[in-house]
Amino acid sequence: MLSNTKSILSRETIERIVRENFGKDVVVEDITELTEGWFNAIYVLSFAGEGVLGYTELVLKTGVESSKYVLSYEQDIMRAEILVYSLLEDTIVPIPKIITKDFSKSLVDLDYCFMEKLQGSNWMKLDDQITPENKEKLIAEFARYTAALHNVKGDFFGYLKDDKQFQFSDWSSAFKGMMNSLIQDGREQGLDLPYDAIMIAFEPLWEILNEITVPSLVNFDMWSKNIMLAEKEGEYYIDAMIDHERAFFGDPYAEFISSATICGDILNSQTFMENYSLISGKPFTFTRNDRIRLYMYNLYLTLLMGVEVYRYSEEDKKQRMEYCNWKIPNDLMELREFLSS
């Protein structure tokens, strides 16, 4: 996908990065850009001879150049992803191995990392090939890994940043801070979105968020395209969960907005609930207030989709804005109807 945030590197620059990290004798044979993502530029590198540290292929993932505009929470966003991978190392969650990283910006004006290349493909691509029986097994795996990710706890609520302005002592303050930051970014870009309508609707609901007293790790981007599958003996299994840069510490149930692309409403999947409970160590419950919070997270995500249009072409930006200006009022109406029921 075309995006203003992608750092398109020349072959010469990539070879220089490789030499800096792995030695002058390493020979890069092929470089292939993976074009599916919306934010980072990602390259698959193949090496001549014995390769690098036993790898004949590696993935080079690049951050965003300092001179480029990004949203407030997107500053140095790759560092959050690398932190999540380190937090998940001792869990059952399958992740790619990070080979090396460089946040110094001494060689190029961006963060980057090398990671192992996974051999499978993402769930979205393979969905049509998965049998119903295999899908139930995958959902069971997915639920266990999701719960294991949520079992990782933080010392604060909010996005995974060293900057204290993103760290909060309670979930209500953190989520309100996330909303205010997003609205400020949108207004600074001159984007016409129903910010006030959302905040008016949220005004009586903030305290409900403080029922969440323990900051859990939340990926918040658990779409089927970020779940990598591999095949063994005719069945698919989850090989890795990737792209954790948008993670935060907060309400674990916020995860169920994006995971709906995989198993729909989790309350309609006994397989998901049972396997989630198996790892979380407690019965799966879902209260009326949980549903209210889910409405709030869904509105946040839709607003985010509108505010992040700075990355896209004018045509894509127009279509995304039209969609968000249609969806947000509909989501607000659903929230009001639920509150009055």
Side-chain angles (χ1 to χ4, degrees):
M1 305 294 183
L2 293 176
S3 173
N4 296 332
T5 55
K6 289 187 176 183
S7 300
I8 307 303
L9 304 181
S10 67
R11 182 182 184 93
E12 180 184 5
T13 299
I14 290 174
E15 288 178 337
R16 189 166 71 250
I17 292 171
V18 169
R19 289 195 299 270
E20 180 73 17
N21 284 272
F22 303 117
K24 63 181 181 179
D25 295 329
V26 176
V27 177
V28 179
E29 282 193 330
D30 294 311
I31 300 173
T32 304
E33 183 189 356
L34 300 181
T35 58
E36 288 185 344
W38 281 103
F39 192 78
N40 303 95
I42 303 174
Y43 305 91
V44 176
L45 313 183
S46 61
F47 305 101
E50 297 181 358
V52 171
L53 304 176
Y55 295 95
T56 57
E57 292 182 304
L58 285 177
V59 170
L60 169 63
K61 186 169 185 176
T62 67
V64 183
E65 295 162 77
S66 300
S67 60
K68 291 186 176 182
Y69 174 83
V70 293
L71 301 181
S72 298
Y73 88 98
E74 292 175 331
Q75 294 284 346
D76 298 326
I77 197 172
M78 178 178 282
R79 303 180 189 199
E81 179 175 21
I82 299 302
L83 174 58
V84 173
Y85 283 133
S86 69
L87 293 173
L88 295 177
E89 280 182 355
D90 295 326
T91 73
I92 64 171
V93 181
I95 53 174
K97 183 178 180 180
I98 303 300
I99 308 303
T100 188
K101 64 183 186 296
D102 183 359
F103 299 156
S104 70
K105 300 185 179 180
S106 59
L107 190 62
V108 285
D109 183 31
L110 47 81
D111 294 334
Y112 65 84
C113 71
F114 286 93
M115 63 179 69
E116 67 171 316
K117 181 183 180 297
L118 301 170
Q119 299 305 310
S121 190
N122 69 65
W123 192 326
M124 182 181 290
K125 273 190 174 181
L126 297 172
D127 196 49
D128 291 342
Q129 304 173 37
I130 302 171
T131 66
E133 295 78 14
N134 193 176
K135 185 169 185 177
E136 281 301 295
K137 292 180 181 179
L138 286 170
I139 288 174
E141 281 185 77
F142 176 65
R144 294 194 293 271
Y145 296 150
T146 300
L149 186 144
H150 294 167
N151 281 347
V152 177
K153 308 303 180 184
D155 297 323
F156 59 87
F157 289 93
Y159 281 111
L160 276 62
K161 294 183 175 295
D162 293 331
D163 190 335
K164 297 296 183 182
Q165 71 170 318
F166 292 95
Q167 302 179 9
F168 299 87
S169 60
D170 61 82
W171 180 225
S172 174
S173 298
F175 190 65
K176 187 181 292 187
M178 291 161 66
M179 285 294 304
N180 286 331
S181 177
L182 196 57
I183 289 170
Q184 181 178 344
D185 287 337
R187 285 183 164 147
E188 286 177 352
Q189 294 179 69
L191 299 174
D192 184 17
L193 290 162
Y195 311 110
D196 292 338
I198 297 174
M199 296 303 280
I200 289 170
F202 283 4
E203 189 56 40
L205 305 176
W206 294 117
E207 192 54 38
I208 292 175
L209 296 173
N210 284 333
E211 291 181 359
I212 309 304
T213 58
V214 178
S216 297
L217 182 62
V218 181
N219 171 284
F220 206 57
D221 200 19
M222 202 77 82
W223 309 101
S224 53
K225 67 179 177 61
N226 288 338
I227 308 299
M228 302 299 293
L229 304 182
E231 189 176 6
K232 183 178 181 181
E233 297 178 355
E235 282 197 332
Y236 291 104
Y237 64 92
I238 297 177
D239 193 31
M241 290 179 162
I242 62 172
D243 288 356
H244 299 276
E245 63 250 334
R246 300 179 190 280
F248 56 74
F249 287 120
D251 180 357
Y253 282 17
E255 203 79 85
F256 302 149
I257 299 295
S258 56
S259 64
T261 65
I262 294 171
C263 54
D265 189 326
I266 45 89
L267 295 181
N268 294 327
S269 176
Q270 194 66 29
T271 298
F272 184 95
M273 291 188 288
E274 288 177 355
N275 282 272
Y276 187 94
S277 293
L278 187 68
I279 302 301
S280 71
K282 54 188 177 183
F284 191 94
T285 60
F286 198 87
T287 67
R288 175 181 172 83
N289 283 353
D290 288 328
R291 179 63 69 183
I292 292 171
R293 285 190 289 269
L294 219 57
Y295 277 115
M296 297 174 75
Y297 307 146
N298 188 54
L299 277 157
Y300 173 80
L301 186 58
T302 305
L303 183 63
L304 174 58
M305 291 172 62
V307 174
E308 68 184 13
V309 294
Y310 74 91
R311 304 203 301 257
Y312 308 139
S313 68
E314 285 303 313
E315 183 59 31
D316 288 337
K317 176 178 177 179
K318 179 182 177 183
Q319 292 179 4
R320 181 67 71 93
M321 290 294 289
E322 288 175 352
Y323 171 76
C324 293
N325 273 308
W326 166 81
K327 190 173 188 299
I328 290 173
N330 278 271
D331 290 346
L332 286 170
M333 184 181 299
E334 286 189 22
L335 174 58
R336 286 192 292 267
E337 288 176 353
F338 184 81
L339 291 172
S340 63
S341 65

